Amino acid sequence: MQDEVFPLRFERAPAAVLTGNARPVLAEVAALAERFAESGAGGAVDLAAMPLSPADVDWLRGTLGRGEVSAVIEAAGASSVEETAFAGVWWVTHRNPLGEVVAELIEVAAVPAIIAAAREDAAAGAARLAAIVAAPAAEALA
Amino acid sequence: MNPAKTIGERLAEAGVSRRAFLKFCTALASMMALPPAAGPAMAQAIATRERPSVIWLPFQECTGCTESITRSHTPTLESLIFDLVSLDYQETLMAAAGHQAEAVLAAAMKENFGKYLLIVDGSVPLVEDGAYSCTAGRSNLALLKEAAQGAAAIICVGTCSSYGGIPRAAPNPTQAVPVSAVVKDRPIVNVPGCPPIPVVITGVLAHYLTFGNLPELDPLGRPKAFYGETIHDRCYRRPFYDQGRFAKTFDDEGARSGWCLYELGCKGPVTYNACATLKWNAGTSFPIQSGHGCLGCSEPDFWDRGSFYRPLAAADWGSAKTVGAAAAAGVALGAAAAWAARRRQDRFVKEAAAPADRKPEG
Ligand code: SF4
C-alpha cells in the first residue's frame, strides 16, 4: 500500500558499482608488502583516502582473504584487527562506542600498532601492580 | 589538585588509554586526509603538548554552531578534543554568569596573552558603534578588537564569522561584517557552514594541537583538507548527473529514482564542503541524500545568490547541456578522483614532515 502512495524505485544503487579505484589500492598494498618483506619497513593505506564504493571495499576484502590471526581491541569502542591471507597484511577497522566505523585501514606490519601496549600505560599498570604486591597479604587476597 | 598541564597527563587523568588515543588520532588523520602514518605521529605530538587555552566568543549568531558541536553524538572524537583543550570561556556552555563570567574571560586573556586560541561564531555589526550586539554592556566590535590582540590565532566557526552569513544578507541593516573585516593582523581560519560539520571544527583544533600551526588554507581562508572539493565532486548522485538524468520536480519519477537534483537548484557544483563524505547526524545522511539540493550554506553570500530552487546559471557553472561530455568521460572519472586523493595526500606528507609556521593566504 505504501508503495502506491509514494513509489520509491531507486535504480541501481550507485553503491553497488565497482569504481575501478580498488585495483590501485591493491597495487599499493602489494608494494608495501614487498617492501616490508625486504626491509621490515611497513606502512598503511587509509581506505577513506580513496573514493571507494561499498562494492570496491567488498572486492578488496574478498581478494585479500583471511589469515591466521584476528583480535578485538576494546578501547573507546571496538577495533578489529584481522590478518589477511597474506602474512603481515592486516585489515584494521576502528569503531566508536556506537559501533560506527571511524577509520578503516590496511596495515602492513609484523603487528599492527594498535595492539602493542604503550610504555605510558605500562608504567601506570606497573605502579598499580606494585601497590598490590606491597599491600598486606590479607588485603591482597581479599 | 593541579590541573593537568600536558594533554598526556590529562588523558591519564581521564582514564583514556594510549590505545584509545592512538585510535582517536588515526581516525582524525583519516578525516583530515593526512597520510596514515600521521596517526601515530599525531598521538606522539599531541600527548606532550600543553593544553591550549581556548576562548570562544559568540557574536551576532543563532547559536546553531554551538548546537552543531554540542549536539553531535557522544561520546565522540568531538567531545574528546574539547576535553583536551582548556575551554576557558564559552558563554552558552559555562556555569558562571554575570560579573563572574566576565572576570573569567579577563583572567584567561591576561594569563594566556599571545597564546590562546580565539574561536568566534557570529558576525560583527558595525552600525552605531556595534550597538546591535553587546555582551555585558560592551559591543562585539570592542570585545573582538581586545580579544584578538592576545590571540595566537582566530578560528571563525560558521558562515557568519567567516563571511558575514545571514546577518549580512541584503539589506544588511546592522552592517554586519566577518571577523576578517575587523582583524587584519592575526592568522584567521574560516570554518564556514550554517552550521559547520562538528568534526571539521575539531579537525582544525586537532591540527593546531599536532603541528602547532594552522592548516593549509584556500583563498577564502578555509582549510583545504575539508573544503578542497565541492559537494558535487563527491556526491553519490553524480553517476546520474554524468548520465544527464535529472529530477524536474520534487515528486516526479526522477526524484523518486534518486536522480541528480541539479535542475531543482542544487548548489553542490559550486559549494566547497565535506557534507557528501563526512555527512551529518553521526554520518547518517546529508541534504542531497534526503532529497533536497545543496543550499551552498558554506559559501560567502549564499543567502543572496538567487533562489535556492533555480538551477545554477551557466555563468556560475557549465550548463547541464555540457553534461554529455562528462558522461563520456565517466569511465575515467574514478581514476581521476583517485589521483586527486593521492595528490592531496602527498601535499600533507610534506606538511607533516616540515611543519613550518604558516600564515593563512588571502
Ligand atoms: S548537482 Fe547536486 S545532486 Fe547533482 S550530482 Fe551535483 S551535487 Fe549531486
Side-chain angles (χ1 to χ4, degrees):
Chain A
M1 283 309 285
Q2 191 67 36
D3 278 359
E4 281 165 30
V5 179
F6 193 79
L8 282 168
R9 284 186 298 277
F10 285 99
E11 296 189 4
R12 199 182 59 136
V17 179
L18 285 166
T19 63
N21 285 347
R23 277 204 164 268
V25 171
L26 193 64
E28 196 175 350
V29 172
L32 284 175
E34 209 171 303
R35 191 180 78 182
F36 176 65
E38 279 167 14
S39 68
V45 178
D46 178 0
L47 295 180
M50 286 283 180
L52 295 177
S53 68
D56 290 329
V57 176
D58 287 348
W59 180 82
L60 269 176
R61 192 77 190 88
T63 307
L64 288 172
R66 283 171 205 274
E68 295 170 336
V69 186
S70 68
V72 175
I73 298 110
E74 293 289 347
S79 292
S80 67
V81 168
E82 288 170 0
E83 197 178 29
T84 67
F86 308 91
V89 178
W90 305 82
W91 192 283
V92 181
T93 308
H94 294 303
R95 292 174 186 277
N96 68 13
L98 298 177
E100 299 150 358
V101 174
V102 293
E104 197 155 38
L105 313 114
I106 298 173
E107 201 171 329
V108 181
V111 180
I114 189 85
I115 291 195
R119 293 284 291 275
E120 291 87 351
D121 288 344
R128 286 206 314 275
L129 203 49
I132 295 174
V133 171
E139 226 175 272
L141 287 176
Chain B
M1 192 187 89
N2 280 334
K5 288 286 278 189
T6 68
I7 289 175
E9 288 165 14
R10 171 76 195 135
L11 285 169
E13 251 180 34
V16 177
S17 77
R18 289 300 170 112
R19 280 198 191 95
F21 189 55
L22 175 59
K23 175 169 166 172
F24 163 72
C25 291
T26 302
L28 265 179
S30 171
M31 272 177 291
M32 292 160 71
L34 297 167
M42 282 171 85
Q44 276 291 327
I46 296 183
T48 54
R49 287 215 179 260
E50 269 187 40
R51 301 175 66 202
S53 167
V54 174
I55 294 171
W56 182 322
L57 298 177
F59 292 154
Q60 204 171 29
E61 43 87 29
C62 71
T63 315
C65 294
T66 307
E67 287 286 331
S68 172
I69 190 126
T70 56
R71 305 282 163 180
S72 60
H73 56 306
T74 51
T76 58
L77 302 180
E78 295 90 89
S79 60
L80 182 54
I81 200 91
F82 271 95
D83 211 33
L84 297 182
V85 301
S86 173
L87 187 56
D88 290 329
Y89 183 88
Q90 217 287 8
E91 281 165 27
T92 313
L93 304 178
M94 67 199 302
H99 292 297
Q100 205 187 4
E102 297 315 303
V104 168
L105 175 60
M109 290 201 302
K110 197 162 160 239
E111 268 168 41
N112 305 296
F113 192 87
K115 288 195 294 188
Y116 57 82
L117 272 182
L118 181 62
I119 297 182
V120 176
D121 62 330
S123 61
V124 185
L126 299 181
V127 151
E128 305 286 354
D129 256 343
Y132 279 90
S133 183
C134 295
T135 306
R138 297 180 65 200
S139 72
N140 295 165
L141 185 62
L143 190 53
L144 174 61
K145 282 181 176 164
E146 188 195 331
Q149 282 173 19
I154 303 176
I155 300 175
C156 293
V157 167
T159 303
C160 295
S161 54
S162 297
Y163 307 129
I166 293 174
R168 190 163 185 267
N172 190 5
T174 68
Q175 244 188 63
V177 296
V179 167
S180 57
V182 176
V183 181
K184 301 284 188 191
D185 57 354
R186 285 282 167 272
I188 296 176
V189 183
N190 291 328
V191 184
C194 195
I197 302 171
V199 77
V200 175
I201 305 173
T202 45
V204 173
L205 283 176
H207 187 286
Y208 185 78
L209 288 175
T210 312
F211 300 109
N213 62 19
L214 299 174
E216 191 182 355
L217 306 177
D218 73 1
L220 287 174
R222 304 175 287 203
K224 285 186 181 173
F226 297 111
Y227 297 88
E229 293 169 306
T230 64
I231 300 295
H232 186 68
D233 287 337
R234 288 300 190 109
C235 179
Y236 78 104
R237 294 192 187 217
R238 184 63 182 267
F240 293 117
Y241 175 92
D242 291 339
Q243 295 160 11
R245 291 153 110 183
F246 302 100
K248 312 276 181 191
T249 65
F250 281 106
D251 58 355
D252 70 0
E253 276 303 304
R256 286 168 195 190
S257 304
W259 290 1
C260 171
L261 301 168
Y262 183 95
E263 296 193 2
L264 289 171
C266 180
K267 304 292 182 282
V270 293
T271 303
Y272 290 82
N273 207 336
C275 303
T277 44
L278 296 179
K279 301 194 181 176
W280 285 86
N281 298 319
T284 305
S285 181
F286 72 112
I288 290 167
Q289 198 174 338
S290 309
H292 195 287
C294 166
L295 301 185
C297 76
S298 55
E299 293 293 321
D301 301 324
F302 79 99
W303 204 259
D304 292 320
R305 282 182 159 187
S307 167
F308 291 141
Y309 301 100
R310 205 185 59 208
L312 275 169
D316 298 328
W317 167 252
S319 77
K321 299 279 180 293
T322 64
V323 163
V331 188
L333 260 173
W339 177 79
R342 185 61 42 210
R343 206 168 56 117
R344 194 170 51 144
Q345 282 208 349
D346 289 345
R347 201 183 63 234
F348 277 95
V349 172
K350 290 195 199 96
E351 177 169 339
D357 267 327
R358 188 177 294 107
K359 291 262 148 35
E361 309 161 18

